[in-house]
Amino acid sequence: QVQLVESGGGSVQAGGSLRLSCASKRSILSSFVSYNMGWYRQAPGKPRELVATETSGRTTDYADSVRGRFTFSRDNTKRTVYLQMNNLKAEDTAVYYCSANWPGRGQYWGQGTQVTVSS
């Protein structure tokens, strides 16, 4: 079982920054390195959308709306991925979810962390 725990959400003014973290609890290193990790978000009344995700080649794809402002990274030794969010905008307000796609095993989700950007 993959358990993902997000943290780092909060309230910030437009133009500010936040860094989200997602720790993969209970994962051994050899499993964690095989996960393709990603971040998604869901605003009220809207479907969940992709923010950033690793490809099978371990490059990162970003949504057009966040490219150049958000940066995905991972630290395998800590079994943690991050989303650095700069120059935040009101439209970035959403619940942000971490996802782990474990090839052949399934996709797993964290509980989400709220990000609120005030203009």
Side-chain angles (χ1 to χ4, degrees):
Q1 180 94 20
V2 176
Q3 182 182 10
L4 303 174
V5 179
E6 300 102 333
S7 61
S11 297
V12 65
Q13 290 190 329
S17 298
L18 285 173
R19 188 175 82 153
L20 305 183
S21 300
C22 171
S24 180
K25 305 293 186 181
R26 305 178 185 172
S27 294
I28 60 175
L29 181 58
S30 59
S31 295
F32 181 76
V33 296
S34 68
Y35 303 163
N36 289 318
M37 303 295 294
W39 288 95
Y40 293 73
R41 67 186 181 186
Q42 187 166 19
K46 294 186 178 181
R48 190 171 297 189
E49 65 175 2
L50 171 71
V51 176
T53 186
E54 291 182 307
T55 68
S56 57
R58 287 297 159 86
T59 58
T60 305
D61 286 339
Y62 295 94
D64 289 343
S65 59
V66 307
R67 188 175 292 111
R69 299 188 297 121
F70 291 11
T71 303
F72 173 92
S73 62
R74 69 187 290 159
D75 184 337
N76 288 333
T77 63
K78 296 181 179 179
R79 297 158 182 72
T80 299
V81 298
Y82 305 94
L83 185 69
Q84 177 66 44
M85 306 186 295
N86 297 329
N87 190 21
L88 283 160
K89 304 176 180 180
E91 51 263 41
D92 295 319
T93 295
V95 178
Y96 283 71
Y97 297 91
C98 175
S99 170
N101 189 332
W102 191 354
R105 300 290 188 97
Q107 188 166 17
Y108 301 85
W109 297 90
Q111 82 288 351
T113 186
Q114 176 70 47
V115 171
T116 302
V117 184
S118 58
S119 57

